[in-house]
């Protein structure tokens, strides 16, 4: 069974993220969505996000959702994953993910990163924008699974 890790803070988990998961499932037998704590973003309460994403995939046994606070490569080792999946919306994302992929390969005993390019309709969709819209009381239901 080929397992991939899809890591992120997912604050919130958007339809763009869900699209990456669905497309990753055409390549891998199992996708572990790793909801990570990022001290740079200051979002320490990740457990409501984990619960929400679990609800989204409650009927899909090929998707596992888990919180983690260590390195992504450590999460990958725990699940015997063969790859890390990342979504890419832009050149800026690509450059960041390329650098992360190099470090993950070195730290993770050769684990590869698979980049899945965002569909055009999701290239401008970010969790930050959704959070801002939520803050101002706007309906964001079309951006959330």
């Amino acid at each position: 069974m080929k397992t991939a890790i899809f890591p992120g803070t997912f604050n919130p988990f958007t339809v763009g993220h869900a699209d990456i998961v669905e497309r990753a499932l055409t390549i891998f037998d199992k996708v572990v969505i790793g909801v990570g704590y990022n001290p740079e973003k200051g979002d320490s309460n990740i457990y409501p996000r984990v619960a929400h994403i679990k609800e989204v995939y409650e009927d899909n046994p090929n998707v596992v959702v888990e919180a983690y606070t260590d390195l992504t490569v450590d999460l990958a080792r725990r699940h015997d994953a063969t790859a890390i999946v990342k979504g890419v919306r832009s050149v800026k994302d690509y450059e960041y993910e390329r650098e992360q992929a190099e470090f993950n390969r070195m730290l993770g005993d050769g684990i590869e990163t698979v980049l899945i390019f965002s569909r055009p309709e999701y290239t401008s969709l970010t969790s930050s924008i959704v959070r801002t819209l939520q803050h101002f009381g706007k309906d964001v239901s079309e951006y959330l699974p």
Side-chain angles (χ1 to χ4, degrees):
M1 174 177 275
K2 290 192 184 237
T3 300
I5 304 296
F6 181 36
T9 54
F10 306 115
N11 187 15
F13 188 80
T14 69
V15 292
H17 296 127
D19 183 62
I20 298 298
V21 171
E22 294 306 314
R23 292 166 61 202
L25 286 169
T26 67
I27 303 168
F28 300 96
D29 301 309
K30 178 178 162 187
V31 172
V32 176
I33 300 173
V35 182
Y37 166 68
N38 184 339
E40 293 177 8
K41 293 185 179 181
D43 57 346
S44 60
N45 193 2
I46 61 178
Y47 297 101
R49 280 179 266 153
V50 170
H52 170 71
I53 300 168
K54 281 183 177 182
E55 284 179 25
V56 171
Y57 293 101
E58 66 187 348
D59 295 329
N60 190 336
N62 297 328
V63 177
V64 173
V65 183
E66 177 177 321
Y68 74 107
T69 57
D70 52 350
L71 294 174
T72 299
V73 293
D74 296 328
L75 177 66
R77 280 189 193 102
R78 284 196 298 280
H79 287 277
D80 198 27
T82 57
I84 296 169
V85 169
K86 297 300 296 246
V88 175
R89 294 171 302 205
S90 65
V91 171
K92 181 179 171 185
D93 283 354
Y94 173 80
E95 285 299 325
Y96 175 80
E97 297 303 345
R98 185 189 57 75
E99 290 174 2
Q100 292 295 308
E102 289 176 20
F103 278 101
N104 285 332
R105 189 173 30 257
M106 287 186 298
L107 296 170
D109 304 320
I111 192 164
E112 292 296 336
T113 297
V114 174
L115 301 178
I116 298 179
F117 292 91
S118 177
R119 293 185 193 274
E121 60 266 32
Y122 300 135
T123 57
S124 296
L125 178 60
T126 68
S127 293
S128 298
I129 288 173
V130 174
R131 279 195 315 276
T132 299
L133 293 172
Q134 285 174 321
H135 175 78
F136 288 104
K138 300 300 180 187
D139 179 16
V140 295
S141 58
E142 71 180 284
Y143 308 119
L144 305 174

